[in-house]
Amino acid sequence: EIRDNTRKGAISAGRSFDKIKNDAKQTRNALGRFEKKTETTGDAVKRMGRNMAIGGVFAMFIRQLKMGGAAAAEFDTAMTEVSTLLDDVNTGLQTLTESAKENAEAFGTTSADQAKALYSIISAGALDAAAAIDTLNTANRLALGGVTDIETAADGLTTIMNSWGRAAGSAASISDKMFQTMRGGKTTIGELSKGISFVASTAAQTGVSLDEVLAATASLTKGGVPTTRAMNGLNQVLVSMIKPTAEAVKLSKELGVEFGAAALKSNGLVGMLDRIRIATGGDVEKLGLLFGSVEALGPVLALTGTQAGDFSTQMGDIGDATGATEKAVRKIDAFKLKKAQAQWNEAWQSMGNVALKATVDTLAVVSEWAEGITGQFQAVANFRAAGEAMRQEKVFGGGGGGAN
């Protein structure tokens, strides 16, 4: 009995040991299959990542292409509008188109912005393409040094040129005076360009010089008056002088100060304000009767009172403003262009790295695809060979059995 129990135990132990071996084998097989699946999944993820990278580069290229196309279309439309202002489209348009592109590259703007500025310049009365290009170049320098956009700068320049004509000087001279006004007052080129329209026409028609308007603006803004309000106030001062009220006419005669367009044209703004200051002794009530509106009284009180000395200084500075534009441009240009160049080079370098990596990854994907296709062809060939072998075995094996 003991022997039988021992034999049965040994048999049972052997079976258990065989089961353990079988379970271990199945575990190893399962681990192998899991490892293969993991490798397959990893390869799929890698391929998906490569495909996403390629797709990302392609999408970026398409996006840039669309942006470039939109910019080109905008420029073409803007230049078409410019062409409607030209008498000789065939001769002038090509020159202006090239100038717009060159200025865009030189001053860091878009060609469309340059074309829109050209439209404003030509519509404002530029005599020919050469004059338009000269004004455009000056407007770009004014915009760059004054940290504003080209259209705003061009608008300010052309408003002054159209209002005062040759009396204002060249575009470069006007730009210098505007820069000096910005430096002497508390204003910007953008604000001056937008505000000058409030007073330019009245001042030019009454013989008040650009220098006087800008000097007065510099003094008023330095005293805290916003640019637009200062220029609108100056316009009201001039209107009060050329079209005084009945009370103002009576008082001016008593004071021995002649009002009217002829007097203003003869004495200028500086001369008129100086005569009024002396005649009134700075009396606020008398000044209030001479200049009835609030808009006009504020500037008169400042320019004949606390800001009188500064007004005189500003006149001298603006009269000696030659070269102010170039000084401003050099300060900003050196920094801005170097920074732009560095950013440009960095952008191209980054794009080059992306393109190179995309090319390498693309070649790797193509190589892997080719290997996969080759393997599939080989598998098909092996399958056909196996099928042929089975057919041959069936034919010849079956034939031999029949003969027996």
Side-chain angles (χ1 to χ4, degrees), residues 160-246:
I160 292 172
M161 293 169 72
N162 280 349
S163 298
W164 277 277
R166 293 183 179 179
S170 65
S173 175
I174 295 169
S175 177
D176 287 340
K177 292 175 181 180
M178 292 178 72
F179 266 114
Q180 183 55 48
T181 303
M182 180 183 73
R183 289 165 62 182
K186 195 164 69 175
T187 184
T188 66
I189 296 299
E191 290 171 344
L192 290 171
S193 296
K194 293 175 181 178
I196 193 66
S197 61
F198 285 99
V199 66
S201 179
T202 304
Q205 294 299 317
T206 55
V208 175
S209 69
L210 173 64
D211 289 21
E212 289 177 305
V213 169
L214 293 178
T217 302
S219 293
L220 291 171
T221 57
K222 192 174 183 179
V225 181
T227 305
T228 301
R229 203 169 90 189
M231 288 186 161
N232 185 52
L234 285 174
N235 185 64
Q236 293 302 314
V237 170
L238 299 181
V239 171
S240 296
M241 287 182 179
I242 62 178
K243 194 177 180 180
T245 63

Side-chain angles (χ1 to χ4, degrees), residues 132-384:
I133 291 171
D134 179 66
T135 303
L136 179 67
N137 185 267
T138 301
N140 272 293
R141 293 178 179 280
L142 183 61
L144 177 61
V147 195
T148 189
D149 61 273
I150 177 63
E151 286 188 81
T152 298
D155 184 55
L157 277 177
T158 53
T159 296
I160 292 172
M161 293 169 72
N162 280 349
S163 298
W164 277 277
R166 293 183 179 179
S170 65
S173 175
I174 295 169
S175 177
D176 287 340
K177 292 175 181 180
M178 292 178 72
F179 266 114
Q180 183 55 48
T181 303
M182 180 183 73
R183 289 165 62 182
K186 195 164 69 175
T187 184
T188 66
I189 296 299
E191 290 171 344
L192 290 171
S193 296
K194 293 175 181 178
I196 193 66
S197 61
F198 285 99
V199 66
S201 179
T202 304
Q205 294 299 317
T206 55
V208 175
S209 69
L210 173 64
D211 289 21
E212 289 177 305
V213 169
L214 293 178
T217 302
S219 293
L220 291 171
T221 57
K222 192 174 183 179
V225 181
T227 305
T228 301
R229 203 169 90 189
M231 288 186 161
N232 185 52
L234 285 174
N235 185 64
Q236 293 302 314
V237 170
L238 299 181
V239 171
S240 296
M241 287 182 179
I242 62 178
K243 194 177 180 180
T245 63
E247 289 181 323
V249 170
K250 180 181 177 181
L251 180 59
S252 66
K253 287 181 178 180
E254 293 176 0
L255 295 172
V257 178
E258 184 182 357
F259 267 31
L264 182 57
K265 186 168 288 189
S266 175
N267 294 290
L269 178 62
V270 173
M272 285 294 292
L273 289 177
D274 191 50
R275 289 164 66 86
I276 291 168
R277 179 181 60 80
I278 295 171
T280 62
D283 188 290
V284 176
E285 289 186 5
K286 291 179 181 179
L287 289 171
L289 289 173
L290 291 173
F291 300 92
S293 69
V294 175
E295 293 85 358
L297 183 58
V300 168
L301 289 173
L303 296 175
T304 61
T306 56
Q307 298 296 111
D310 184 71
F311 182 26
S312 179
T313 301
Q314 297 283 0
M315 279 291 296
D317 291 341
I318 289 174
D320 190 30
T322 303
T325 302
E326 285 305 313
K327 290 179 183 177
V329 168
R330 278 198 298 269
K331 288 179 181 179
I332 294 181
D333 194 41
F335 171 75
K336 186 174 182 180
L337 292 182
K338 284 183 179 179
K339 184 177 180 179
Q341 184 178 12
Q343 291 174 339
W344 181 258
N345 292 339
E346 179 64 24
W348 274 108
Q349 183 175 336
S350 298
M351 290 176 65
N353 288 336
V354 171
L356 180 61
K357 188 176 185 306
T359 301
V360 172
D361 288 348
T362 300
L363 290 175
V365 171
V366 171
S367 176
E368 184 178 350
W369 175 79
E371 289 178 1
I373 291 296
T374 302
Q376 291 179 16
F377 277 125
Q378 185 62 49
V380 171
N382 292 340
F383 180 80
R384 292 183 62 185

Side-chain angles (χ1 to χ4, degrees), residues 78-141:
M79 287 308 300
T80 299
E81 293 177 356
V82 170
S83 70
T84 63
L85 304 175
L86 303 178
D87 293 329
D88 189 353
V89 176
N90 295 329
T91 303
L93 187 60
Q94 184 60 36
T95 302
L96 292 172
T97 299
E98 292 174 0
S99 176
K101 292 179 179 179
E102 290 170 1
N103 276 282
E105 292 181 6
F107 294 99
T109 69
T110 67
S111 298
D113 287 339
Q114 296 292 325
K116 292 172 184 176
L118 271 174
Y119 183 88
S120 297
I121 291 168
I122 296 172
S123 63
L127 297 177
D128 51 34
I133 291 171
D134 179 66
T135 303
L136 179 67
N137 185 267
T138 301
N140 272 293
R141 293 178 179 280

